[in-house]
Amino acid sequence: MQVQLSGQKIEITPALRERVNGHCERLTRLESRLLELSVVLSVDKLQQRCEGTLKVPGAAPLHAEATESDMYVSIDTMFDKLVAQLRKHRDKVCDKHQREVREERQYG
């Protein structure tokens, strides 16, 4: 999976990059065929914002964002949302496949 990390009004430190890459491993454990992840970190006064877009084969991109007072917390929250969306997508795909197999056995 290709990871693109960028910042608006914030410098991407090695610690922030490491935090994002650590969470990427969590996503790849759920789904190995992920194409690309784009993460944008931004600061606006006291709000630390993290936005992420995950491209999955055969589906629309998954998007999540989180705004917190701490950048690390916003990264964690955003990845939690992406994981939930990815699990839901994976369950839909698996359920559809199982339903097709059942129908094939029933009518085939």
Side-chain angles (χ1 to χ4, degrees):
M1 171 176 65
Q2 182 180 3
V3 178
Q4 180 182 5
L5 180 60
S6 59
Q8 294 177 344
K9 300 181 184 177
I10 186 173
E11 181 182 339
I12 304 299
T13 62
L16 287 173
R17 186 173 303 278
E18 185 177 320
R19 182 72 156 236
V20 170
N21 288 335
H23 282 293
C24 289
E25 294 174 10
R26 185 174 166 199
L27 291 173
T28 54
R29 274 187 269 142
L30 285 173
E31 179 67 52
S32 61
R33 299 175 297 137
L34 300 175
L35 301 175
E36 180 182 346
L37 173 65
S38 175
V39 178
V40 178
L41 306 177
S42 60
V43 176
D44 186 32
K45 294 188 181 180
L46 299 176
Q47 297 295 316
Q48 314 285 320
R49 184 181 183 123
C50 179
E51 298 179 48
T53 304
L54 180 64
K55 293 186 181 175
V56 182
L62 306 176
H63 181 79
E65 58 185 61
T67 304
E68 302 287 340
S69 59
D70 182 21
M71 184 58 77
Y72 293 100
V73 175
S74 64
I75 290 171
D76 295 343
T77 305
M78 188 273 302
F79 271 100
D80 289 342
K81 291 178 181 180
L82 273 181
V83 165
Q85 289 181 26
L86 186 59
R87 281 188 178 137
K88 185 175 179 181
H89 168 71
R90 188 183 64 180
D91 291 344
K92 278 184 181 179
V93 170
C94 289
D95 186 45
K96 180 181 175 184
H97 177 69
Q98 290 172 357
R99 195 175 26 215
E100 288 174 355
V101 169
R102 280 193 301 253
E103 288 175 359
E104 185 177 294
R105 288 180 184 166
Q106 186 177 24
Y107 299 116

